[in-house]
Amino acid sequence: MSTAPPGWSRRLTSRRLAPLVALLPLLLGGLLIGLLGTAERTVGPADELPAGSGVAEAAELADRLPDEAGSTAIVLWTAQEGQLGEEALGSLRELVSDLPGAGPQAAPVPSEDGTAALLPLELDAPTASDTSAAVEDLREQLAETAPDGVTAQVTGPAAIQADLAKVFEGADLTLLATTAAVVTILLVLTYRSPVLWLVPLVVVGVADRLAVVVATHVLELAGTAWNESTTGILSVLVFGAGTDYALLLISRYRDELKGEESRHLAMARALHRTAEAVLSSSTTVVVGVLTLLLSLTPSTRGLGLASAVGIVIAALMVMTALPAALVLFGRWIFWPRAPRLGDPTTVETARVWNAVGRLVGRRPVAVAVVSSLVLVALALPGLGIRTGLSQSEQFLDEPEAISASERLAESFPAGSAEPARVLSTADEADVLATVEGSSVVSSARTTASGDGVVQVDAVLDARPGTSEAREAVETLRQDIADEPSVAGSTFVSGSDASRIDERDGAARDRFVVFPLILLLVLGALVLLLRSIVAPLVLVVTVVATYLAALGASWVVFTRLLGFEALDVSTPLFAFLFLVALGVDYNIFLVTRAREEAPTHGTGPGVLRALSATGGVITSAGVLLAAVFATLGVLPLVVLAQLGVVIGIGVLLDTLLVRTVLVPSLVVLLGERFWWPRRVSGAAAPARHAR
């Protein structure tokens, strides 16, 4: 520990500059958070839709319709027992005129079985917030006026949009509070100190809020869309990655204090040694998430750009404010386990990791084979994965719009609750005739027109969300394409059409982004490690971790949680974050191994690195998995699925891949692991490390 750290790390942690370096980023961050605030999100008609798809084209046409076209809500009245009598139907006819969006001729339409009646309404709600407010007011009005023995519910596109928006009411605060609580508990358990955890939590907490503010303004300036879940995922990412970087720095600082009397010099050395690992890690994550800029979906591109901004801010804050803040305090900040000069280092006291290292060193082939077989066994269930969730399957807690839609399908044509919407610039009569002439359409009506655009709502025979409904949409699209008078200017949208196009867009994104992520991360590792073999090994093991996590998660989803499919975006997002974040822990291990190799040899060096980093990386992995699991506090299936896949993947990477598989491969490869670079100066055979 006698090596002199470089000047930049000594200056950052010096007695004179440390107070300024600690406070200035926090104060500037707080100032920006207070002055700027989160940028206002403007919702475009096709922000959630793949560019160039039929539903995106339809959304652009719908945006040209007059505001009074509004959004469709469907009121459903059902008899609590038996049928709706003539007296109840008469009462419903009287109250219809007072409902918003009801025309002078509006009247409830009774079902053939006599148990229900429905009424489509065009709400005057040009924006998403207007729609939510209008649906809420409508529900309150219906609850007050429903006749005795009759239940009133609201479904349809407007109600589904309103219920989805309700999911995110207070979501950022809930997610932030849950994430901060999880991080606090795990930091306290990790350090077993009543005070130390406060310092990294404050730094990472400021980094999180600053990341949200800066990222949303960057998105606004770039003209890139984002949605309600973007800031939630961003917070989880910043908290997880930022805390991981903090754990690595503090662990190294504690060890340096055991061999250096000056805490300023000890922190300078710790910062110097940690900075390379954090730079390598954050670079791979940034490179990885930026590949989302090639997605067809605007909001997915926004998530990629926001995540890159967040990781940069997290790394900068942890590498500047945190070391300077920690060095302001004496060794007592670690109380009651304050490190003393001459105490044994982590390598010497890590009994569990020393034992694991001895096992790997004695039997590297067996360890590599067994751990690889475990990953293969976990990955096999992934061969049966299905993607694509219906509207009702996207909520963990079923909202009124979904339950009403299912009840409506029992008494009316299956597609009444969620009609297919046909938007066209062709002649209205030709469009209506073509739609009505399709074999899959039960009924059709013109619901809006203006500025050369006509909208026709088509009730399909198939129940929304089913494979039959998707086939019906494909048939309708084909019927339109076969009619020269409307082909090329007419597009089908609606919930099932959206699912078809989102599925196709996600498949295209995976085809483009998957190999690009791997190539860019591999290239970043080659530049950072100045090696070819080491990056290949790390990338292959991370891909194996992803496949195993996906397979294991599929078992959890289908056998324990009752899901029948993954959301179309889950495989892509899980791959992105697991590859980018999974490489982190291997970088932490490998950079420490490279540090040990010149003295002890490559094989013994990686086993010493395992002993030195085993505890901190395991803590970081458990923390990151727990942080991503907090996405489950939001009642959206896609976020819950994402949290589970990433959580399982991070645990596999932390406890299996980085712990035994990578070290065993390094031991087997020896000096060739660093090829074409030469790192080791020791001649001892790799497998006699212990």
Side-chain angles (χ1 to χ4, degrees), residues 127-148:
T127 68
S129 58
D130 291 337
T131 299
S132 297
V135 170
E136 190 64 30
D137 291 342
L138 177 60
R139 283 172 172 164
E140 291 178 2
Q141 182 178 350
L142 290 169
E144 295 173 356
T145 59
D148 292 339

Side-chain angles (χ1 to χ4, degrees), residues 153-188:
Q153 295 175 292
V154 182
T155 184
I160 292 173
Q161 182 181 357
D163 286 342
L164 183 62
K166 190 179 294 184
V167 167
F168 289 97
E169 286 183 3
D172 283 349
L173 182 59
T174 300
L175 190 61
L176 179 62
T178 305
T179 303
V182 167
V183 170
T184 298
I185 292 170
L186 291 176
L187 284 176
V188 171

Side-chain angles (χ1 to χ4, degrees), residues 102-233:
Q105 304 299 320
V109 180
S111 62
E112 291 185 3
D113 62 12
T115 64
L118 65 77
L119 176 69
L121 297 173
E122 292 297 324
L123 302 180
D124 183 10
T127 68
S129 58
D130 291 337
T131 299
S132 297
V135 170
E136 190 64 30
D137 291 342
L138 177 60
R139 283 172 172 164
E140 291 178 2
Q141 182 178 350
L142 290 169
E144 295 173 356
T145 59
D148 292 339
V150 177
T151 299
Q153 295 175 292
V154 182
T155 184
I160 292 173
Q161 182 181 357
D163 286 342
L164 183 62
K166 190 179 294 184
V167 167
F168 289 97
E169 286 183 3
D172 283 349
L173 182 59
T174 300
L175 190 61
L176 179 62
T178 305
T179 303
V182 167
V183 170
T184 298
I185 292 170
L186 291 176
L187 284 176
V188 171
L189 292 176
T190 298
Y191 295 125
R192 283 170 275 182
S193 168
V195 289
L196 177 60
W197 61 273
L198 280 167
V199 182
L201 184 64
V202 168
V203 172
V204 175
V206 173
D208 165 60
R209 291 298 87 196
L210 181 61
V212 170
V213 168
V214 174
T216 54
H217 281 279
V218 169
L219 290 171
E220 185 181 43
L221 289 173
T224 306
W226 74 94
N227 60 23
E228 297 92 339
S229 64
T230 301
T231 53
I233 295 175

Side-chain angles (χ1 to χ4, degrees), residues 261-280:
E261 184 174 0
S262 167
R263 67 178 187 271
H264 295 275
L265 192 55
M267 178 57 84
R269 291 196 180 108
L271 179 59
H272 169 54
R273 294 298 189 183
T274 306
E276 182 180 15
V278 172
L279 174 63
S280 303

Side-chain angles (χ1 to χ4, degrees), residues 126 409 444-445 606 647:
R445 66 189 180 97
V606 76

Side-chain angles (χ1 to χ4, degrees), residues 326-416:
L326 284 170
V327 85
L328 294 180
F329 305 95
R331 295 170 185 258
W332 65 266
I333 193 68
F334 290 93
W335 183 86
R337 304 177 65 202
R340 293 173 297 182
L341 195 63
D343 281 352
T345 62
T346 302
V347 174
E348 299 166 322
T349 59
R351 296 179 182 177
V352 173
W353 300 109
N354 285 336
V356 172
R358 285 193 294 271
L359 173 64
V360 172
R362 285 196 303 267
R363 301 193 172 182
V365 174
V367 170
V369 170
V370 171
S371 54
S372 297
L373 289 176
V374 170
L375 293 177
V376 170
L378 291 174
L380 286 177
L383 296 174
I385 283 178
R386 296 182 299 276
T387 60
L389 297 173
S390 67
Q391 195 82 56
S392 61
E393 293 171 330
Q394 293 179 4
F395 298 90
L396 289 174
D397 300 319
E398 187 175 80
E400 179 181 317
I402 300 303
S403 59
S405 173
E406 294 176 350
R407 174 61 185 88
L408 184 148
E410 297 175 9
S411 300
F412 293 92
S416 300

